[in-house]
Amino acid sequence: MFQENSSANCLNIITTSTEDGAFQKKGHSARVLSPEEAERLAKDQVLVSEFKQLKLEKEAQKNWDLFYKRNSTNFFKDRHWTTREFEELKACREFADQKLTILEAGCGVGNCLFPLLEEDLNIFAYACDFSPRAVEYVKKNALYSTERCKVFQCDLTKDDLLENIPADSVDVVMLIFVLSAIHPDKMHLVLKNIYKSSCLSFSRLRDMSKWSMNMCSVKQ
């Protein structure tokens, strides 16, 4: 089953496989724009030049590394809401203390990973990020333990996850504000890559939704 829940800023998605491997989708209502927002977006016809698009795509990893060099581990807040909002982490278990193996694709500096490992002692996590610097910050964190998690650098659009994760070993996949940072033409490559490593109970995605407050508040 595939369910979506949208807020003013985010889109939450739960996916679980049916017996034939297909996905079903139900329940989603898009945010309605105010007249002022609709007028503002109608006037905003400025597009990034093709040259700049290609340059940003080519230099994406360098720019993410520079971002983490400037901000260290201080930019994002720790996400202590994970187990509260992602109730499926408990619901998918057959018994309370069942061990789960999760993959957090796009882990950043561990703002989701470490609160989750602290709150749920029966989780082992694989975690990866595009930025080598972010991965190093995770490994330097006092809470990092190779007994609880394995962290590695990965370009999800081309690096094979099976080089770091055994096939069919992952129960739960989490993508928190990840797909919106990937070119739409490459999103399917990310999902195919993740699918190879997982025997999915479900996947959990949170990302920016169309007409989010953040999108509508951007000024030129």
Side-chain angles (χ1 to χ4, degrees), residues 22 34 39 50 54 71 92 100 107 113 115 126 142 154 163 165 171-172 180 186 194-195 199:
S34 68
E39 182 180 1
E50 184 177 355
L54 294 173
N71 297 289
C92 71
L100 283 184
C107 64
L113 175 67
Y126 292 100
C154 180
E163 294 180 3
I165 303 173
D171 301 303
V172 176
S180 58
K186 296 183 178 181
I194 289 171
Y195 184 77
C199 51

Side-chain angles (χ1 to χ4, degrees), residues 47-91:
L47 299 177
V48 175
S49 69
E50 184 177 355
F51 171 79
K52 190 168 185 180
Q53 289 182 46
L54 294 173
K55 186 173 187 293
L56 289 170
E57 183 77 12
K58 182 179 179 180
E59 299 177 354
Q61 187 176 81
K62 182 183 78 172
N63 290 332
W64 275 114
D65 259 11
L66 288 173
F67 171 84
Y68 286 114
K69 182 179 181 179
R70 288 194 302 267
N71 297 289
S72 181
T73 60
N74 302 316
F75 189 83
F76 299 108
K77 294 180 180 180
D78 282 349
R79 293 163 178 160
H80 292 284
W81 43 260
T82 310
T83 52
R84 181 183 71 249
E85 295 200 17
F86 297 172
E87 296 178 353
E88 297 78 17
L89 287 170
K90 294 181 179 179

Side-chain angles (χ1 to χ4, degrees), residues 19-191:
E19 290 183 0
D20 61 0
F23 291 99
Q24 297 177 341
K25 174 179 177 179
K26 67 176 184 179
H28 174 63
S29 57
R31 176 175 176 268
V32 178
L33 293 176
S34 68
E36 293 79 11
E37 290 169 337
E39 182 180 1
R40 188 188 315 150
L41 289 172
K43 292 179 179 178
D44 181 11
Q45 301 296 324
V46 179
L47 299 177
V48 175
S49 69
E50 184 177 355
F51 171 79
K52 190 168 185 180
Q53 289 182 46
L54 294 173
K55 186 173 187 293
L56 289 170
E57 183 77 12
K58 182 179 179 180
E59 299 177 354
Q61 187 176 81
K62 182 183 78 172
N63 290 332
W64 275 114
D65 259 11
L66 288 173
F67 171 84
Y68 286 114
K69 182 179 181 179
R70 288 194 302 267
N71 297 289
S72 181
T73 60
N74 302 316
F75 189 83
F76 299 108
K77 294 180 180 180
D78 282 349
R79 293 163 178 160
H80 292 284
W81 43 260
T82 310
T83 52
R84 181 183 71 249
E85 295 200 17
F86 297 172
E87 296 178 353
E88 297 78 17
L89 287 170
K90 294 181 179 179
C92 71
R93 287 180 161 107
E94 295 180 4
F95 50 90
D97 296 332
Q98 181 181 350
K99 300 288 185 180
L100 283 184
T101 299
I102 72 167
L103 164 63
E104 186 187 5
C107 64
V109 295
N111 297 101
C112 176
L113 175 67
F114 291 120
L116 182 59
L117 292 177
E118 281 189 293
E119 293 178 28
D120 194 328
L121 299 179
N122 293 307
I123 281 179
F124 179 87
Y126 292 100
C128 62
D129 199 86
F130 190 32
S131 165
R133 191 182 297 273
V135 171
E136 286 305 308
Y137 279 129
V138 173
K139 291 181 176 180
K140 290 177 181 177
N141 192 299
L143 296 173
Y144 179 70
S145 168
T146 55
E147 295 181 358
R148 298 290 316 282
C149 57
K150 177 181 179 180
V151 182
F152 55 96
Q153 190 277 331
C154 180
D155 179 347
L156 290 167
T157 66
K158 62 181 181 181
D159 296 336
D160 192 346
L161 283 171
L162 295 182
E163 294 180 3
N164 288 280
I165 303 173
D168 300 326
S169 63
V170 174
D171 301 303
V172 176
V173 176
M174 303 178 69
L175 296 99
I176 312 297
F177 300 109
V178 173
L179 287 180
S180 58
I182 293 171
H183 193 287
D185 291 345
K186 296 183 178 181
M187 288 181 181
H188 72 286
L189 299 175
V190 173
L191 298 177

